[in-house]
């Protein structure tokens, strides 16, 4: 977009007094030095004048009292809660508040992911996966049982002392082993 | 409706700061300096129905072993650097040597070796969840079986 196109888009707002003082000064300075943009300004001002005259003439013929009565009635009328909630939601979720929800959602997601560090055992409301993964095991000739207990998410490595030459008493104690 | 430039910049800046903070936290999680290793020695037996109140937090885990009684014999915690080694004295003249290998996806890989009077009983490499544990059991002790709960925490 050229500078003139940008300025022309702002001329209407400038004439309506909707621009900030800085932006107004910028538009004013440009229009003063640019014949084409000044022509756009003159046409817009002329259009505004025509519309104002036309509307003022029409307004004199309009009966406003019934309109104001209706407005008054609507102001005094108590709205149902669901309508108020709907309006509140609409106001809340439209810009500019929606823009703040972006960092707010990021913060919430970060908090959820880091909650496990502060509250051990918590993970999105479910039990934490405490299962251990056994990469390798060497029991030097003994028998080994590997148990994964679902309820407590526990991994158990159980050694059986069934090698020759082991202490008999010890063997008795462990031969039966745990009844997994 | 357009956001004023100042507010838009502020929102963008906040998002950027949050994302950077998350990245920093993630990086911090990946590089802990050392691991806190805790070994809990427990005697599991069938001579009585005693359950040591000190083991209350592990009740559900121990009940899967189906012994009748559980008694805490010893608790020991040590800080072990990555790739370093620490030895824990275990009842019955045994020694447990633990060496943390790596930290990935919030899981700690531990190399564990149990010896009895310098004779190796078991060598294993296990990956456990950070702040989690696993159980190594079976060696006979005082008419029952020795149960070791091996847990690790990377701060």
């Amino acid at each position: 977009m050229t500078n003139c196109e940008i300025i022309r888009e702002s001329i209407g707002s400038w004439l309506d007094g909707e621009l900030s003082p800085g932006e107004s000064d910028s538009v004013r300075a440009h229009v003063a030095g640019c014949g084409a943009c000044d022509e756009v300004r003159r046409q817009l001002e002329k259009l505004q004048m025509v519309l104002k005259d036309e509307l003022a003439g029409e307004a004199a013929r309009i009966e406003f009292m019934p309109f104001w009565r209706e407005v008054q009635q609507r102001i005094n009328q108590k709205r149902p809660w669901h309508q108020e909630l709907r309006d509140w939601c609409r106001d809340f979720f439209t810009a500019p508040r929606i823009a703040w929800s972006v960092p707010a959602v990021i913060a919430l997601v970060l908090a959820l992911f880091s909650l496990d560090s502060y509250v051990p055992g918590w993970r999105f409301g479910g039990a934490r996966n405490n299962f251990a993964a056994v990469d390798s095991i060497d029991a030097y000739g003994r028998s080994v049982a590997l148990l994964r207990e679902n309820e407590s998410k526990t991994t158990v490595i159980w050694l059986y002392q069934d090698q020759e030459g082991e202490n008999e008493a010890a063997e008795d104690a462990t031969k039966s082993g745990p009844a997994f | 409706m357009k956001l004023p430039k100042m507010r838009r910049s502020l929102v963008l800046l906040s998002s950027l700061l949050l994302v950077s903070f998350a990245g920093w936290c993630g990086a911090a999680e990946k590089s802990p300096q050392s691991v806190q290793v805790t070994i809990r020695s427990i005697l599991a037996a069938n001579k009585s129905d005693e359950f040591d109140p000190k083991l209350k937090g592990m009740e559900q885990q121990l009940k899967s072993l189906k012994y009748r009684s559980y008694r805490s014999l010893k608790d020991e915690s040590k800080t072990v650097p990555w790739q370093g080694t620490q030895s824990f004295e275990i009842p019955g003249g045994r020694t447990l040597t633990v060496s943390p290998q790596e930290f990935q996806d919030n899981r700690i890989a531990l190399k564990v070796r149990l010896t009895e009077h310098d004779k190796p009983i078991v060598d294993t490499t296990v990956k456990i969840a950070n702040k989690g544990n696993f159980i190594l059991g079976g060696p006979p002790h005082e008419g029952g079986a020795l149960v070791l709960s091996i847990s690790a925490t990377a701060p």
Side-chain angles (χ1 to χ4, degrees), chain B residues 8-140:
Chain B
R8 245 184 302 168
S9 311
L10 207 60
V11 169
L12 278 172
L13 190 67
S14 320
S15 306
L16 199 67
L17 280 173
L18 275 168
V19 171
S20 313
F21 180 69
W24 178 79
C25 287
E29 189 199 54
K30 283 185 186 79
S31 54
Q33 298 296 304
S34 56
V35 185
Q36 179 84 14
V37 177
T38 302
I39 308 298
R40 177 167 258 196
S41 305
I42 300 155
L43 177 65
N46 287 317
K47 286 176 183 167
S48 69
D49 288 323
E50 175 210 356
F51 189 89
D52 193 333
K54 277 190 257 176
L55 301 171
K56 196 148 179 63
M58 291 186 64
E59 191 169 2
Q60 207 182 4
Q61 287 189 313
L62 292 172
K63 286 286 160 78
S64 64
L65 302 177
K66 311 288 186 198
Y67 279 90
R68 282 172 54 207
S69 73
Y70 298 91
R71 182 158 56 89
S72 175
L73 299 174
K74 190 181 176 185
D75 273 6
E76 197 176 3
S77 278
K78 284 181 182 176
T79 303
V80 194
W82 291 102
Q83 311 294 332
T85 302
Q86 269 290 5
S87 293
F88 296 79
E89 292 304 316
I90 305 297
R94 298 172 179 101
T95 303
L96 191 78
T97 309
V98 180
S99 170
Q101 299 296 296
E102 61 171 359
F103 185 57
Q104 205 174 26
D105 299 329
N106 206 33
R107 293 177 84 81
I108 300 164
L110 290 178
K111 210 173 194 171
V112 176
R113 168 177 251 225
L114 181 66
T115 55
E116 187 175 347
H117 306 297
D118 295 330
K119 196 174 137 193
I121 297 176
V122 68
D123 260 319
T124 183
T125 302
V126 178
K127 279 192 185 118
I128 61 173
N130 187 14
K131 296 176 185 139
N133 76 330
F134 77 100
I135 285 171
L136 176 63

Side-chain angles (χ1 to χ4, degrees), chain A residues 42-128:
Chain A
R42 276 197 316 107
Q43 281 179 0
L44 273 173
E45 274 182 339
K46 200 174 163 187
L47 181 67
Q48 274 189 340
M49 209 105 77
V50 170
L51 280 172
K52 200 177 170 183
D53 290 347
E54 194 67 26
L55 287 171
E58 283 293 317
R61 288 196 293 273
I62 295 171
E63 183 60 60
F64 278 103
M65 275 317 284
F67 171 74
W68 287 121
R69 262 201 303 276
E70 186 76 16
V71 170
Q72 189 83 37
Q73 197 182 339
R74 284 196 181 189
I75 290 169
N76 295 334
Q77 190 182 20
K78 186 155 173 58
R79 294 184 314 151
W81 66 269
H82 53 85
Q83 203 176 341
E84 286 198 359
L85 181 70
R86 197 180 56 204
D87 290 349
W88 180 85
C89 289
R90 194 179 51 213
D91 289 349
F92 188 82
F93 289 110
T94 46
R97 282 187 181 169
I98 194 76
W100 287 106
S101 67
V102 175
V105 166
I106 294 173
L108 192 68
V109 169
L110 287 176
L112 280 172
F113 276 102
S114 55
L115 196 59
D116 194 52
S117 313
Y118 302 103
V119 188
W122 188 94
R123 181 160 289 186
F124 294 107
R128 196 165 74 125

Side-chain angles (χ1 to χ4, degrees), chain A residues 4 8 30-42:
Chain A
C4 282
R8 276 173 209 172
H30 179 91
V31 168
C34 175
C37 289
D38 193 41
E39 181 57 28
V40 172
R41 177 193 60 83
R42 276 197 316 107

Side-chain angles (χ1 to χ4, degrees), chain A residues 107-178:
Chain A
L108 192 68
V109 169
L110 287 176
L112 280 172
F113 276 102
S114 55
L115 196 59
D116 194 52
S117 313
Y118 302 103
V119 188
W122 188 94
R123 181 160 289 186
F124 294 107
R128 196 165 74 125
N129 181 10
N130 195 30
F131 276 134
V134 180
D135 283 355
S136 67
I137 187 159
D138 182 359
Y140 298 93
R142 292 169 185 82
S143 299
V144 182
L146 188 63
L147 163 75
R148 280 166 172 248
E149 208 279 309
N150 270 319
E151 212 171 318
S152 57
K153 308 279 181 208
T154 306
T155 301
V156 179
I157 297 172
W158 197 265
L159 306 167
Y160 290 91
Q161 305 288 317
D162 54 3
Q163 226 185 11
E164 265 184 47
E166 290 289 343
N167 178 321
E168 266 186 33
E171 200 170 313
D172 287 345
T174 53
K175 200 86 182 185
S176 56

